[in-house]
Amino acid sequence: MVSPAETPAGTAGSQTLDRGLRALEALADAERPMSISELADALGVHRSNAYRILRTLEEHRFVLRDDAGLIRLGPRLAALGRGAASTLHSAALPELTELANTVGMTAFVTVLDGTEVITLVSVEPRRSHATVAQRPGTRHPATAGAPGHAIEASLSPAERVAVFGEVPLSEGAEQCQIDGYALSHDEVIRGLTSIAVPLRLEGEPPAALAVVHIGVPDDLAELGLEMRRAAARIVRAAG
């Protein structure tokens, strides 16, 4: 996240908008609801300034406060989120549900956002002894994790340069091009394994279909094949 010192001053209006957007990002990245003091610290502003930003976001139902005064994202953002990559979201949801319940793992779709990948939609299996939650909005660098490797593997040379610069294809992306799926373990969260396949829809950002698992699944080749089939069905459903 850009620090306050790195943010251009601009006009008063643009600075207020910038702080409001960064407040939403801070709340999305937080593991729990935040206090007004914590939000002010995250934005690098005085508590009174943070409070004014909060009041505006509350009026538009982008954030909510509980009885203890702690702040969390509001349901209005979910409606906005459905409009992001809406074709991909709609086409992917049925296949994610089927895949999650078939393999017993949380299935999700990530999209490329600058130099990061962000989870667009996620489905947990109905029946499983242990599942891993993957919240929509979760983001991490595109250089780490199976979804990032799968997305990199799908990029054209010009797209790669725009995102990664003049650097060689990463080992993970290169292996994805060979195997048809990307694999990562301990790269984003310790103890977790992610498997991902590229997912490209015309008019939508580069994406990946992924699952997350505790430990390494037994039959990676079969799982990768099942995921590629699901990705192909998503592309067909999107038309």
Side-chain angles (χ1 to χ4, degrees):
M1 185 179 295
V2 179
S3 68
E6 295 170 327
T7 304
T11 64
S14 65
Q15 186 179 67
T16 300
L17 176 59
D18 175 76
R19 287 173 174 172
L21 294 174
R22 289 194 293 117
L24 294 176
E25 289 177 342
L27 289 166
D29 291 339
E31 296 295 327
R32 55 177 177 75
M34 301 177 71
S35 68
I36 187 67
S37 295
E38 290 171 329
L39 183 61
D41 289 342
L43 298 178
V45 300
H46 191 273
R47 181 186 170 109
S48 61
N49 291 333
Y51 184 75
R52 283 195 292 271
I53 294 168
L54 171 62
R55 286 297 302 272
T56 300
L57 294 174
E58 275 189 302
E59 288 173 2
H60 291 276
R61 304 295 291 171
F62 291 144
V63 302
L64 300 174
R65 277 189 292 175
D66 61 22
D67 293 338
L70 296 179
I71 312 155
R72 61 180 174 83
L73 294 177
R76 181 78 180 277
L77 281 175
L80 293 180
R82 285 195 295 271
S86 58
T87 300
L88 176 55
H89 189 289
S90 299
L93 188 56
E95 289 298 333
L96 286 178
T97 303
E98 179 68 22
L99 180 63
N101 291 322
T102 298
V103 303
M105 304 175 196
T106 297
F108 58 102
V109 166
T110 65
V111 295
L112 184 64
D113 180 31
T115 59
E116 297 181 310
V117 292
I118 181 169
T119 299
L120 177 67
V121 57
S122 174
V123 175
E124 296 181 33
R126 286 192 298 267
R127 298 182 182 86
S128 181
H129 294 299
T131 60
V132 180
Q134 180 74 16
R135 293 187 308 165
T138 300
R139 61 176 65 230
H140 61 77
T143 53
H149 301 324
I151 288 174
E152 182 187 358
S154 75
L155 299 179
S156 68
E159 288 173 329
R160 281 200 70 260
V161 170
V163 178
F164 299 100
E166 298 284 355
V167 297
L169 191 69
S170 71
E171 183 178 340
E174 187 174 8
Q175 196 63 45
C176 179
Q177 292 180 342
I178 296 170
D179 296 334
Y181 63 87
L183 173 69
S184 68
H185 183 66
D186 283 348
E187 284 192 30
V188 178
I189 300 177
R190 185 171 180 81
L192 296 186
T193 297
S194 185
I195 304 94
V197 298
L199 179 59
R200 297 298 300 262
L201 272 66
E202 186 176 354
E204 300 286 0
L209 169 65
V211 296
V212 63
H213 190 64
I214 300 173
V216 181
D218 294 331
D219 195 340
L220 287 172
E222 182 61 31
L223 176 58
L225 178 60
E226 182 67 30
M227 293 174 65
R228 290 197 299 276
R229 289 170 175 165
R233 289 192 294 268
I234 292 172
V235 173
R236 288 196 297 270

